[in-house]
Amino acid sequence: MAEKLEVKELDQVVVRFSGDSGDGMQLAGNIFSTVSATVGNGISTFPDYPADIRAPQGSLTGVSGFQVHIGAGKVYTPGDKCDVLVAMNAAALKTQYRYAKPGATIIIDTDSFGPKDLEKAQFTTPDYLGEMGIDPDRVIQCPLTTMVKDCLADSGMDMKAMMKCRNMFALGLVCWLFDRDLNLVANFLKDKFAKKPAIAEANIKVIQAGYDYGHNTHSSTVNVYRVESKEKEPGRYMDITGNKATAYGFIAAAEKAGLKLYLGSYPITPATDVLHELSKHKSCGVITVQCEDEIAGCSSALGASFAGALGVTSTSGPGICLKSEAMNLAVIMELPLVVLDVQRGGPATGLPTKSEQTDLLQALFGRNGESPMPVMAATSPTDCFDAAYQACKIALEHMTPVVLLTDAFVANGSGAFKLPDMAKLDPINPPYVPEELKGKWTPYMRAENGTRYWAVPGREGFTHILGGLEKDSNTGAISTNPENHDLMTRLRQQKIANIQVPDLEVDGDNDADLLIVGFGSTYGHLRSAMDELRQKGYKVAQTHFKYLNPLPKNTAEVLSKFKKVVVAEQNMGQLAAYLRMKVDNFVPFQFNQVKGQPFVVEELVNAFEDILKK
């Protein structure tokens, strides 16, 4: 009988699953993060997969990873390096070991470390652990493939189907290592494979086998860990990706405004999941159209807005360039439209599955003519819900297109999301033209805040025409009058400037020697860097931009208050340049990386420490 295990309690832990693209690492990581969120842990995930549709099996370029950080309290990042690395083959170990902490536990499938596997992974000797300088005592070496075959020998499944269950054996081992309740995993699989109960049962059986293997074989040599939830607001939670949260935010906004939601989109990585998710919700009045190209996607969404719906279009990378003409049309027609840009590595096709913040200036200025447009950036996977909701609120209440920036990191990553109470969400009140203006209304007649009134086609007495040519501010007829064009340009600009957005908040030390500034998805990494610097005794503060146009009213006040300011972003300095343009005498330090990967907190801390010492 195995001796009783000692269960050690931790505040946080990072696990990285890695293997071939077909090994199901994303699913294994997803299940582990979902179970962790269910028991109240804070979570942050980072799927890291190749651009190849299916790279050669066992190749270095085909390795797919999924990193999950779970904590007793709030978790801000997926973690710099992992405490546990699952490597399903030799290539995964070779490429992913650099993400492991010194002393990390490593789980490998020894059946996938044969001579041919080692050759594909470019190992030069059979002693692959020694070649990489890995202590064998830290490695759980498991004949995983063999054990899955034995476990499912009587299942009637063919070899290909059995091999698809290998990821579940690895997941079972990880669940044992972190003392997870397998009933929660089983319930997840039963829901996922509700129409294929035999598949669900096979996976559950394999997970149990992995759990038992860990318990029976390594119980006296490897510690089991538990991460208990210490602070969690009561409510119903789910593990949610940024793309799914964005889709839910759009649905909630349409419901709150009492409108149909229309998404016109063209599939493109990594934005496509928003189209996939919204297409499932016809029962909520959602209309989705997979258009023939990006231009049609944006134009059709604008047409839906003209007809009285909430028009949304989604894209990534080069798709935002193609939408610019229709976005400009939305500006001059003054119609609500939300343009979701899930940023990815560029230029051109660039790095389709990697993350950057390089579309900021294009979102702000990338159109012909004076074309002002509100721009927002979501700060985390769970914040994508609020960001999408608020983008719709601004678009509908101010009759303007709005750009919502996310990126591959927050879109594919996930967090523990508390399901919102619809009754507590901000009201959305589109500026419909008052009935008393019937017979006197013209298309560019404005409310007190400068917003054009909205007359939905079909409403008796409010027939009108909109288009891309400049219109007379009084009559709505086509006008080339220079004074009128100057007036309309200023009215469109002032309408955006009048939008009320929340003030910047400053976390940390009010008398800080350094203020850390960023926007969008880098919030968690910059917050973690600030926390570590303060633990070292430095006076540091952080402020972060979610609203980029218009900027918060206190932007200049906050940025001018501190001795030193560093702007950190995943581009070559776009936010820093924009802030220099908007704030007098603002000359910040800059931290810029364009690697297609999230920031590494340790690198941020070292860089900011150097600035503090100057």
Side-chain angles (χ1 to χ4, degrees), residues 417-559:
F417 176 61
K418 182 185 177 185
L419 300 184
D421 181 347
M422 283 291 294
K424 294 181 180 178
L425 295 177
D426 291 341
I428 299 178
N429 300 305
Y432 295 116
V433 59
E435 187 65 24
E436 56 265 27
L437 290 179
K438 185 175 181 179
K440 298 177 286 185
W441 175 79
T442 57
Y444 289 95
M445 193 174 287
R446 299 177 186 275
E448 289 185 8
N449 66 352
T451 297
R452 184 182 79 84
Y453 284 123
W454 194 9
V456 176
R459 188 174 169 190
E460 186 180 353
F462 294 93
T463 303
H464 65 286
I465 298 173
L466 299 176
L469 291 171
E470 186 65 280
K471 302 297 192 297
D472 185 276
S473 64
N474 293 318
T475 67
I478 294 172
S479 172
T480 58
N481 181 281
E483 283 72 26
N484 177 76
H485 179 55
D486 184 85
L487 173 63
M488 291 294 279
T489 299
R490 294 177 187 278
L491 287 173
R492 289 188 288 262
Q493 179 64 54
Q494 190 59 46
K495 179 180 73 170
I496 305 306
N498 288 344
I499 297 171
Q500 297 296 311
V501 301
D503 279 350
L504 284 177
E505 295 182 359
V506 178
D507 296 318
D509 299 301
N510 289 325
D511 58 344
D513 297 316
L514 177 67
L515 175 69
I516 301 168
V517 177
F519 79 96
S521 64
T522 57
Y523 170 78
H525 294 84
L526 298 180
R527 171 61 186 262
S528 298
M530 178 195 74
D531 289 343
E532 289 195 22
L533 286 166
R534 294 182 72 204
Q535 288 172 8
K536 288 186 172 188
Y538 293 105
K539 289 186 176 181
V540 184
Q542 179 198 15
T543 195
H544 207 77
F545 286 93
K546 177 174 178 176
Y547 296 88
L548 294 147
N549 189 38
L551 288 167
K553 294 289 191 289
N554 66 337
T555 295
E557 176 189 345
V558 169
L559 297 183

Side-chain angles (χ1 to χ4, degrees), residues 8-25:
K8 294 189 174 182
E9 190 164 322
L10 300 177
D11 284 332
Q12 56 184 339
V13 73
V14 179
V15 181
R16 189 176 183 93
F17 297 85
S18 62
D20 272 328
S21 291
D23 282 342
M25 294 296 93

